[in-house]
Amino acid sequence: MEYRLLGRSGLKVSTLILGSANFGSVGEFFNKAGKVDVAGARRQIDLYRDAGGNMIDTSNAYSSGVSEEVVGEALDGARKDLLVATKVRFPMGKGPNDRGLSRHHIIKSCEESLKRLRRETIDLYQMHQWDGETPLEETIDALDALQRSGKVRYIGVSNWSGWHIMKALAVSDARHQARFVGQQIYYSLQAREAEYELVPISVDQGLGILIWSPLAGGLLSGKYRRGKPMPEGRHLNGWGEPPINNEEQLYDIIEVLVEIAEAKKQSASAIALAWSLGRPGVTAAVIGARNEEQLKANLPAGDLKLTDEERKKLDDVSKPVLIYPYWHQASTASDRLSAADLALLKPFLTGGSRMG
């Protein structure tokens, strides 16, 4: 499996990261994701590590901390060499300070995560969602203190908007404090909105992109087909993460995925993952599996390369609508665009530049 540097850091991460949202499975939402106990987690981790993977991703919010406990127990012993990423932000109690990105909640949550994970250090600590009530200076200061103490090695964000990220980076740079090295985002063939702001920011600011749900929660696995009986599991009208805004386009994408998969004798999920790993700024995709068979179907993506023709077919069928101001930039600013700009605009350029 290929290893890529995470943003501007010196940390090398495998292109596939093993997700653990389905470890523990406490509560209705996480029960739907799958029910993997410690023994099942160990088997998945061994399969993943044998394929060359080197990072496990979890969160204190997954099953109210049980996912971290399962990861900690499963990694105890010979599997300790794997990197661990976890997150903080969501409620971990009923008190007014049991949520958010305050210094109080970040440091308390970090210490609790370390206990559950049975580790002395978190390799990548990610802010799981935005907190508009806490000053960014307080958040960054707390993370800087954790990094300097050795409890956290690298920091990142997840599910932030473009202006949130740029504001945070400005605070870090101005105060010479810890700086985010990556962002974990939703980004797939099913929904490419991240290309408007989040991907260009990553290219411009040197942030690695880690993709959560690169298979759109399983929609891109190839088992959901137009005009065919629905398999067991979630149906399209019951999906909230991700929402389905264009069902017909989704089925068009799936048909192209299946066509390419059959020609390459691979799973549709491996093809979708390979497409994601070839996008600008992307470091790795986080893959979660209900069982070992699903994991085995996804792991080949770590070494799978698509041809230019195959990639173009997938690009064309999933192409996002160019919203303002980007359609205006594509038509009038093509003579002076950066690599970050081109991460979105390159497929839309016609070769000329005009004023409109």
Side-chain angles (χ1 to χ4, degrees):
M1 194 179 300
E2 182 184 352
Y3 300 93
R4 298 176 181 175
L5 289 170
L6 181 58
R8 290 178 183 167
S9 78
L11 185 69
K12 289 196 173 183
V13 177
S14 55
T15 50
L16 295 178
I17 294 173
L18 184 62
S20 64
N22 49 357
F23 289 7
S25 306
V26 173
E28 182 181 359
F29 178 84
F30 292 102
N31 261 311
K32 291 180 179 178
K35 301 177 181 179
V36 179
D37 59 14
V38 174
R42 286 189 178 127
R43 289 193 297 271
Q44 286 198 19
I45 289 169
D46 287 343
L47 280 170
Y48 169 72
R49 190 171 63 165
D50 289 346
N54 75 342
M55 178 176 272
I56 310 295
D57 179 79
T58 186
S59 170
N60 64 351
Y62 297 164
S63 295
S64 301
V66 176
S67 174
E68 287 185 330
E69 291 176 356
V70 172
V71 170
E73 188 173 350
L75 289 181
D76 216 14
R79 303 172 186 84
K80 276 279 192 183
D81 59 323
L82 292 174
L83 301 170
V84 172
T86 192
K87 310 178 190 74
V88 58
R89 160 60 173 88
F90 290 114
M92 292 302 292
K94 296 182 179 179
N97 293 309
D98 291 333
R99 66 185 66 206
L101 297 177
S102 67
R103 182 181 182 88
H104 172 89
H105 186 59
I106 287 175
I107 293 178
K108 182 174 182 286
S109 295
C110 179
E111 291 171 347
E112 291 172 347
S113 288
L114 286 169
K115 289 178 182 177
R116 286 190 288 265
L117 291 167
R118 305 185 185 188
R119 298 173 83 90
E120 296 180 355
T121 302
I122 293 167
D123 296 294
L124 176 63
Y125 202 35
Q126 301 163 106
M127 309 303 99
H128 208 164
Q129 180 51 278
W130 172 248
D131 175 359
E133 292 189 334
T134 301
L136 272 169
E137 290 80 2
E138 179 178 341
T139 297
I140 297 298
D141 188 65
L143 295 171
D144 188 73
L146 287 173
Q147 197 172 69
R148 291 179 185 277
S149 72
K151 292 181 179 179
V152 167
R153 290 200 172 103
Y154 299 93
I155 59 172
V157 298
S158 182
N159 305 310
W160 285 26
S161 69
W163 74 267
H164 294 152
I165 293 172
M166 290 303 296
K167 186 174 180 181
L169 294 177
V171 169
S172 295
D173 292 345
R175 295 159 64 96
H176 304 288
Q177 290 184 311
R179 194 179 198 270
F180 298 131
V181 297
Q183 59 168 325
Q184 189 172 145
I185 61 175
Y186 175 60
Y187 180 28
S188 77
L189 280 161
Q190 182 266 337
R192 294 171 57 181
E193 300 95 332
E195 294 178 12
Y196 295 133
E197 290 283 343
L198 298 180
V199 173
I201 283 171
S202 289
V203 173
D204 183 71
Q205 293 296 309
L207 300 177
I209 294 174
L210 309 179
I211 302 174
W212 64 263
S213 200
L215 299 180
L219 289 175
L220 301 178
S221 64
K223 67 179 182 179
Y224 296 89
R225 304 289 297 276
R226 178 187 281 118
K228 295 188 177 181
M230 280 288 183
E232 291 184 8
R234 293 178 287 181
H235 292 176
L236 294 192
N237 59 6
W239 292 63
E241 285 195 14
I244 309 303
N245 298 318
N246 189 334
E247 186 174 325
E248 288 307 307
Q249 184 187 41
L250 170 64
Y251 282 126
D252 290 342
I253 292 168
I254 293 170
E255 292 307 309
V256 176
L257 277 174
V258 171
E259 174 191 332
I260 295 173
E262 290 176 348
K264 296 181 86 70
K265 294 181 171 55
Q266 293 285 349
S267 66
S269 59
I271 300 300
L273 289 167
W275 176 87
S276 296
L277 294 175
R279 300 300 297 168
V282 172
T283 302
V286 180
I287 56 171
R290 291 173 177 268
N291 50 56
E292 294 166 53
E293 288 69 30
Q294 285 186 355
L295 183 58
K296 289 176 182 177
N298 294 341
L299 286 173
D303 298 309
L304 185 60
K305 303 298 180 186
L306 301 179
T307 66
D308 290 343
E309 181 182 359
E310 290 165 344
R311 189 165 287 282
K312 186 177 186 306
K313 284 183 179 179
L314 292 168
D315 288 346
D316 289 347
V317 74
S318 63
K319 198 172 183 178
V321 174
L322 206 58
I323 61 175
Y324 178 81
Y326 306 112
W327 57 259
H328 198 274
Q329 292 173 1
S331 64
T332 65
S334 61
D335 57 334
R336 297 181 69 89
L337 294 177
S338 69
D341 299 316
L342 293 172
L344 168 67
L345 297 178
K346 188 175 181 180
F348 297 92
L349 299 182
T350 58
S353 180
R354 64 176 181 80
M355 185 65 180

